[in-house]
Amino acid sequence: MNHARVYEIRVDGFANLAEAIGAQDPVAHLLCPEEWHRGPCEIPWSLGVADNAGDPDRAALVVGVLTTREEALELLRPIGEVTGRPAVLVEADPSDYEELVEQHRIEALIAD
């Protein structure tokens, strides 16, 4: 059985933090096309920026998701397309995404 886990989808190669921040809105719209929908998003997600791995003079967009590995992998291509850069998947530390874990826990309680 494939269980939900916390993953990061990293998009490296932005010239600076401002450019990475500018990529957040299109990715947010991709993850949640109907901003004012009822209930939670199908896949809990969050957005952030970080130093580019291996090149501190550049920046990365970091998308946290709590989902199955297969669903997370399916997000790589569209996120890469909307940002114009390759996206890679890495397993994340759930303690770095406590809000996603809490959202998932609450939704599981509601569903029961």
Side-chain angles (χ1 to χ4, degrees):
M1 177 172 241
N2 196 0
H3 296 285
R5 302 185 64 102
V6 178
Y7 295 95
E8 283 183 353
I9 298 171
R10 290 188 59 97
V11 183
D12 291 320
F14 291 95
N16 52 49
L17 289 175
E19 188 177 81
I21 290 168
Q24 288 182 329
D25 282 344
V27 171
H29 185 70
L30 175 75
L31 296 170
C32 184
E34 188 181 327
E35 183 178 354
W36 303 108
H37 63 84
R38 297 190 81 182
C41 290
E42 183 176 331
I43 295 175
W45 58 275
S46 68
L47 292 171
V49 294
D51 290 336
N52 193 67
D55 188 353
D57 293 330
R58 297 182 61 89
L61 174 67
V62 181
V63 183
V65 293
L66 196 157
T67 189
T68 64
R69 180 169 179 77
E70 287 74 22
E71 289 175 328
L73 287 168
E74 288 179 16
L75 293 171
L76 294 181
R77 184 188 53 76
I79 288 174
E81 287 176 356
V82 78
T83 61
R85 293 168 174 78
V88 296
L89 183 69
V90 294
E91 197 163 318
D93 183 345
S95 67
D96 292 339
Y97 293 92
E98 291 178 4
E99 73 281 3
L100 297 181
V101 174
E102 181 66 8
Q103 179 183 344
H104 182 70
R105 185 187 69 75
I106 291 169
E107 291 166 13
L109 290 173
I110 293 171
D112 286 344

